[in-house]
Amino acid sequence: MSIEKYLMRSEDEMDFIPIIPLNESDHDGVDGIEVPAEIPLLPLRNTVLFPGVVLPITVGRDKSIKAVNEAYKGDKLVGVIAQKDTNIEDPSTKDLEDIGTVARIVKLIKMPDGGTTIIIQGKSRFQVESILMDEPYFKAKIKKLEEEEAPKDEDFKAYVANIKDLAADIVQLSPNIPTEASIILRNIENPSFLIHFVSSNLNTDIKDKQRLLELNQIRQRADLLMQLLQKELQFAELKNKVTTKTRTEIDKQQREYFLQQQLKSIKEELGGDSNSQEIKEMQKKAEAKKWPAAAKEMFKKGVEKLERMHPSTPDFSVVYNHLDLMLELPWEDYTEDIYDLKKAKKTLDADHYGMQKIKERILEYLAVLKLKGDMKSPILCFVGPPGIGKTSLGKSIASAIGRKYVRLSLGGLHDESEIRGHRKTYIGAMPGRILQSIRKVKSSNPVMILDEIDKVGSDFRGDPSSALLEVLDPEQNNTFYDNYLELEYDLSKVLFIATANNIQNIQPALRDRLEIIDLSGYAVEEKIEIAKRHLLPKQKEMHGLKSSHFKISDKMLEKIIQDYTRESGVRELDRQLASVMRFQAKELALKGKLKANITANDIEKILGKPRYSNDLYKTANMPGVAVGLAWTYVGGDILFIETSLSDGKGELRLTGNLGNVMKESASTALTYLQANAKRYGINHTLFEKKNIHIHVPEGAVPKDGPSAGITMMTAIASALTGKKVKPFLAMTGEITLRGQVLPVGGIKEKVLAAKRAGLKEIILCWQNEKDVQEIESAFIKGIRFHFVKNMSQVLELALVE
């Protein structure tokens, strides 16, 4: 149904609004009006006028205006008739329906634009018998159609009640029809007028309305009207269902939009929209940024996406953080290198004492960088025991060439995402540690220390050492891809320096990309100089003793080093000196003055009795005990090999937590002596009647490797011959069944360990002579070296009567 507002439109648009007459009783007198035999016709396009219904019409066509004016001059009656085809602008006689409604012109209004508006009320149905003329307007000869009296039976009353109910339901479901319409419907008493009024307002095809008008019997009209109402009610229910569903979706969106607009207004009142301000600032920064075209394009797309998003949406912070990272990365910003080799040497000497070979290697490396410039050279890797200054050496290099310094600790790293970053769609996603470090120093060519590269772990989350392959390959790292950034970043200008304690723990493919530089432990003389130049001034300052004048002599420093430390580096020495400084600070606070010199008694008072002693090697050795040299990841060390004979069946027993290689060395030594027993004056029956037990003290410490081969054989030979091993003698080397002595590694650490322990003679393979020559002669002063080729020479030197 279509009960609409009162609108004035031209009749050719065919948009009419039925109105209830002010006095419904007017309808009762419809049959009593005199209908002339000839009457002017007013064709209507989109509607049908029913008796008793009032319509406002704006008349626009010339013929219609003339017909209305002619009727208004006379009895004010006009024949309103519908067009068969609503699309025809200028209808002819055959385009008009046969049955229409005689209407009275209630009011005629002349409009300023020349148009005419009339209000008409339907009075009676008529039938056209013939068209008398069509110019200047239609005029027809008509016959009045009599209206049937409304039946009084209960059946018809049910029809009327049903029509009212259906019409009320449609009004209820139609949001465009005012609810007052249902009240009006309930108050219409005349059944005939009710049918005409509902028919006029029915939202159905014009032909259906014409059929209703043409039916003579009121019961048939009521029946057809009910069918049409049922059809419209079903349509209204379906439409209402769809509209309600759509409105729920739209209402939610409109509510969010409304709240967002309110929030925006509040922010503007408080001093502008901070988000739009932030985006503008980002765009301003981007304009001044030097970066690749791919990064620029991605940033532009990201900003466009950010502008379309509301800050409360979860993706806003993801996009914002990604753009913020892009802005903060240095991209093509580089610090200017200072390749002044003299200055670099001066800086290295000031920061680190000794290490002459290492410093020369670094200066050579810097020289290559200065000449080559493209950084396509292997990455340095400092390998050595803890506490010798590997990490600080990298810092010195950065200072020497004027670059930013950043340290990346890889110890315990077990997630590949720590290197490559996480996908930015994950909650809490971050870029990898490499890009985070570059972002922090704001330079694309820093010196980056990859600390403890040998302690990288791997588990189900990935293998970080495999991810480092791309970072540390000069052929690949110019297009390093971070998962969070989602762009390639150039790392080829970064100077990577890795540090490690044990080269064997580094993955072979990664080791191949590193230029290994071995850093050995310090000799006692070096430690004394390091203590004087670096450790003592640092500890004095840390303990508030910078202005206090007291001295620790070289002899006292040597006592601290030899009696209280056993290490390749200087960390433990630093801690012992800190203990001395704390004692001095307490003395100064209590007594107000300090002694000028610290004596040996003071050292023992502060640090306690000596922890390590060389007297162990000065005692008379019994036969079967030899001193060997070992390499550990914390430097060199010495170890005893003890051999004892007991009655038995010639079994060999090995104890001391020995590894497979070391056990094999013992078996090889025994087999060699069995084969050459006569040559060395050994009774061959001993091998059948005596059990041989070899023990290496400190049984809780795992030991392995071939370098104790000659020491084991010397200890077994000493036990079997009854000859003692020369005191203050140490040895290291691998043996073969032919009695050959083979070279071993870690010579510098082993020699320095022997020097620290107070040993005076060392037996080595002749091929290790070159390693000894690389050690500063001042550090091994007082040690005599014996270079041998076979076991006969070893036994001649080692065994004494």
Side-chain angles (χ1 to χ4, degrees):
M1 295 181 68
S2 175
I3 301 178
E4 301 177 0
K5 293 181 180 177
Y6 190 106
L7 296 175
M8 298 298 182
R9 297 192 182 177
S10 61
E11 88 283 9
D12 54 337
E13 291 181 5
M14 297 304 174
D15 194 1
F16 302 100
I17 298 90
I19 299 177
I20 298 171
L22 298 177
N23 184 0
E24 189 189 329
S25 62
D26 287 354
H27 185 266
D28 300 335
V30 164
D31 291 337
I33 67 162
E34 283 215 11
V35 177
E38 296 177 5
I39 196 168
L41 296 182
L42 177 62
L44 298 182
R45 274 202 208 178
N46 280 339
T47 194
V48 173
L49 179 65
F50 287 84
V53 178
V54 178
L55 277 181
I57 300 171
T58 299
V59 185
R61 289 187 285 205
D62 289 340
K63 281 186 178 182
S64 299
I65 292 171
K66 288 175 183 176
V68 167
N69 288 336
E70 184 66 28
Y72 199 70
K73 289 176 187 174
D75 54 10
K76 297 184 179 179
L77 294 178
V78 66
V80 178
I81 198 161
Q83 290 182 199
K84 292 178 181 177
D85 189 348
T86 58
N87 296 319
I88 296 173
E89 179 66 31
D90 187 15
S92 61
T93 306
K94 65 178 186 301
D95 296 321
L96 302 179
E97 294 285 357
D98 293 331
I99 293 175
T101 304
V102 174
R104 181 183 294 280
I105 301 172
V106 179
K107 188 78 174 173
L108 185 144
I109 305 165
K110 296 286 185 181
M111 306 302 290
D113 60 357
T116 301
T117 297
I118 59 171
I119 297 173
I120 56 174
Q121 181 180 14
K123 291 295 183 181
S124 174
R125 296 184 307 133
F126 70 86
Q127 183 173 4
V128 176
E129 291 187 336
S130 63
I131 301 295
L132 301 175
M133 64 178 192
D134 57 6
E135 289 295 340
Y137 54 84
F138 289 108
K139 191 171 184 180
K141 184 180 179 182
I142 64 170
K143 181 179 77 172
K144 180 183 174 183
L145 297 176
E146 298 298 332
E147 287 294 330
E148 185 185 52
E149 278 291 327
K152 303 292 184 183
D153 57 89
E154 294 299 321
D155 188 37
F156 186 73
K157 285 180 181 179
Y159 267 102
V160 173
N162 203 10
I163 288 170
K164 284 186 178 182
D165 290 341
L166 288 170
D169 289 343
I170 293 169
V171 169
Q172 199 70 30
L173 292 171
S174 303
N176 296 328
I177 302 175
T179 52
E180 291 82 359
S182 60
I183 299 170
I184 294 168
L185 285 168
R186 293 288 177 193
N187 289 305
I188 296 175
E189 299 293 338
N190 190 313
S192 183
F193 175 70
L194 174 70
I195 293 169
H196 291 158
F197 178 74
V198 173
S199 300
S200 183
N201 286 281
L202 196 61
N203 187 21
T204 187
D205 191 70
I206 191 76
K207 290 181 179 177
D208 291 330
K209 287 187 177 184
Q210 185 65 31
R211 278 173 59 205
L212 283 167
L213 183 67
E214 290 175 359
L215 288 171
N216 290 320
Q217 290 186 8
I218 195 167
R219 195 184 293 273
Q220 290 179 350
R221 210 178 298 163
D223 188 55
L224 178 59
L225 178 60
M226 277 179 57
Q227 292 177 29
L228 295 173
L229 283 172
Q230 287 281 6
K231 183 179 175 183
E232 186 172 351
L233 179 61
Q234 290 175 5
F235 178 75
E237 286 173 344
L238 182 61
K239 184 179 176 183
N240 187 61
K241 185 179 177 182
V242 174
T243 305
T244 306
K245 186 179 178 182
T246 310
R247 186 182 291 121
T248 305
E249 298 288 331
I250 294 171
D251 285 351
K252 186 180 177 185
Q253 293 174 6
Q254 286 177 338
R255 180 176 177 274
E256 288 178 0
Y257 175 76
F258 178 69
L259 291 173
Q260 288 173 10
Q261 290 300 110
Q262 280 190 323
L263 187 63
K264 187 177 178 182
S265 301
I266 292 167
K267 285 182 178 178
E268 286 173 356
E269 287 293 325
L270 292 172
D273 189 346
S274 59
N275 295 313
S276 61
Q277 189 66 31
E278 283 179 9
I279 293 170
K280 285 177 184 175
E281 285 177 9
M282 291 175 90
Q283 289 172 324
K284 192 174 180 182
K285 283 183 187 175
E287 288 172 8
K289 194 85 178 165
K290 290 190 295 182
W291 50 8
K296 193 173 183 179
E297 182 64 25
M298 179 176 268
F299 181 84
K300 185 182 174 185
K301 288 181 180 177
V303 167
E304 288 173 358
K305 189 186 292 183
L306 201 65
E307 285 175 332
R308 294 194 300 268
M309 296 168 73
H310 190 265
S312 61
T313 56
D315 284 348
F316 183 87
S317 59
V318 174
V319 177
Y320 182 87
N321 290 338
H322 184 250
L323 295 178
D324 190 47
L325 170 69
M326 291 182 69
L327 279 177
E328 289 192 9
L329 283 172
W331 294 101
E332 295 175 2
D333 292 336
Y334 306 105
T335 53
E336 193 172 339
D337 291 341
I338 306 170
Y339 289 116
D340 186 341
L341 298 189
K342 291 180 181 177
K343 179 179 178 292
K345 189 176 189 307
K346 189 176 178 181
T347 304
L348 292 171
D349 286 337
D351 292 343
H352 293 84
Y353 177 79
M355 303 174 125
Q356 294 306 319
K357 184 185 174 187
I358 304 303
K359 288 177 183 176
E360 287 299 319
R361 181 66 189 84
I362 290 169
L363 291 175
E364 289 169 7
Y365 189 78
L366 296 180
V368 171
L369 296 181
K370 180 179 179 180
L371 297 173
K372 203 173 182 188
D374 62 357
M375 305 298 291
K376 298 292 184 184
S377 51
I379 282 80
L380 290 176
C381 179
F382 298 153
V383 178
I388 60 171
K390 298 184 295 297
T391 305
S392 59
L393 200 55
K395 196 169 187 178
S396 294
I397 293 172
S399 175
I401 62 176
R403 289 195 183 185
K404 300 281 186 72
Y405 166 81
V406 61
R407 187 180 75 88
L408 184 61
S409 179
L410 300 178
L413 200 72
H414 48 65
D415 191 349
E416 180 207 354
S417 299
E418 293 285 337
I419 304 295
R420 292 187 186 276
H422 306 79
R423 300 281 179 199
K424 69 173 185 282
T425 49
Y426 296 148
I427 294 172
M430 287 166 49
R433 299 269 292 277
I434 301 288
L435 283 193
Q436 283 186 51
S437 301
I438 289 175
R439 177 189 196 176
K440 184 169 69 176
V441 295
K442 298 190 182 305
S443 170
S444 284
N445 63 338
V447 173
M448 186 175 287
I449 303 296
L450 302 176
D451 217 4
E452 313 291 0
I453 198 170
D454 58 326
K455 296 175 182 64
V456 173
S458 65
D459 59 12
F460 63 92
R461 282 167 286 196
D463 184 3
S465 62
S466 298
L468 283 170
L469 294 176
E470 182 185 5
V471 176
L472 298 180
D473 191 336
E475 301 299 325
Q476 298 180 39
N477 64 9
N478 61 329
T479 55
F480 172 69
Y481 185 86
D482 187 275
N483 292 329
Y484 185 87
L485 182 63
E486 293 183 341
L487 275 174
E488 292 178 347
Y489 195 89
D490 186 2
L491 297 177
S492 63
K493 303 292 190 295
V494 178
L495 175 52
F496 290 103
I497 297 176
T499 71
N501 297 130
N502 189 356
I503 193 75
Q504 302 304 321
N505 292 341
I506 302 175
Q507 189 189 106
L510 184 58
R511 197 188 316 154
D512 184 56
R513 287 162 167 79
L514 304 173
E515 184 174 332
I516 308 296
I517 298 178
D518 287 307
L519 300 178
S520 303
Y522 295 115
V524 174
E525 291 80 4
E526 286 180 301
K527 289 183 180 180
I528 292 171
E529 287 299 322
I530 291 168
K532 284 161 63 178
R533 296 186 186 193
H534 301 288
L535 303 182
L536 278 173
K538 181 185 81 172
Q539 292 296 344
K540 277 187 175 182
E541 187 174 350
M542 285 176 65
H543 293 86
L545 299 170
K546 195 173 182 181
S547 57
S548 302
H549 300 288
F550 65 92
K551 291 183 180 178
I552 301 179
S553 65
D554 289 3
K555 193 173 181 182
M556 291 303 101
L557 286 172
E558 186 177 350
K559 178 177 175 62
I560 294 172
I561 292 165
Q562 292 193 331
D563 291 354
Y564 296 94
T565 68
R566 275 287 187 274
E567 59 176 348
S568 294
V570 291
R571 283 199 181 123
E572 185 60 30
L573 174 60
D574 195 32
R575 284 190 280 271
Q576 299 303 330
L577 290 175
S579 298
V580 173
M581 293 304 139
R582 286 195 298 273
F583 179 85
Q584 291 293 85
K586 185 183 75 172
E587 289 292 301
L588 184 61
L590 290 173
K591 300 177 181 177
K593 60 178 182 177
L594 292 173
K595 289 169 65 176
N597 292 296
I598 292 179
T599 63
N601 289 333
D602 294 329
I603 296 294
E604 290 197 11
K605 182 181 177 183
I606 298 166
L607 301 178
K609 292 293 181 183
R611 297 179 191 174
Y612 306 100
S613 174
N614 294 335
D615 293 340
L616 182 65
Y617 313 109
K618 297 175 185 175
T619 56
N621 287 335
M622 59 180 285
V625 180
V627 179
L629 297 174
W631 180 93
T632 68
Y633 79 96
V634 294
D637 202 358
I638 62 120
L639 50 83
F640 287 100
I641 306 289
E642 300 176 348
T643 306
S644 178
L645 302 179
S646 59
D647 292 336
K649 298 179 180 179
E651 294 177 357
L652 175 65
R653 183 181 297 174
L654 301 168
T655 56
N657 202 350
L658 309 183
N660 290 332
V661 177
M662 207 165 179
K663 289 177 181 176
E664 289 168 2
S665 295
S667 299
T668 304
L670 182 59
T671 304
Y672 174 77
L673 287 173
Q674 285 176 329
N676 296 276
K678 189 175 181 180
R679 180 179 174 184
Y680 296 118
I682 300 172
N683 186 351
H684 66 86
T685 58
L686 291 175
F687 295 108
E688 298 172 0
K689 297 178 179 179
K690 297 287 185 181
N691 288 339
I692 301 173
H693 184 167
I694 299 175
H695 177 68
V696 184
E698 296 186 43
V701 181
K703 308 165 193 74
D704 204 1
S707 63
I710 64 170
T711 316
M712 284 184 163
M713 201 196 72
T714 303
I716 296 170
S718 172
L720 291 171
T721 59
K723 295 178 180 179
K724 295 178 182 178
V725 178
K726 188 187 291 186
F728 302 103
L729 172 71
M731 60 192 77
T732 183
E734 184 180 351
I735 61 165
T736 68
L737 282 174
R738 295 175 296 156
Q740 299 294 311
V741 179
L742 301 181
V744 291
I747 294 300
K748 184 178 179 182
E749 286 83 358
K750 292 176 179 178
V751 170
L752 292 177
K755 172 79 166 152
R756 286 195 299 270
L759 299 172
K760 294 175 182 172
E761 292 181 75
I762 300 176
I763 298 175
L764 297 169
C765 174
W766 65 276
Q767 293 181 39
N768 285 126
E769 187 174 359
K770 64 181 187 303
D771 300 310
V772 175
Q773 289 172 354
E774 291 179 358
I775 305 172
E776 188 78 29
S777 58
F779 303 157
I780 53 177
K781 189 178 179 182
I783 297 181
R784 185 180 177 190
F785 291 94
H786 302 281
F787 299 104
V788 298
K789 291 187 177 181
N790 54 58
M791 276 310 302
S792 298
Q793 293 174 286
V794 173
L795 295 179
E796 284 175 17
L797 291 166
L799 300 181
V800 293
E801 294 295 336

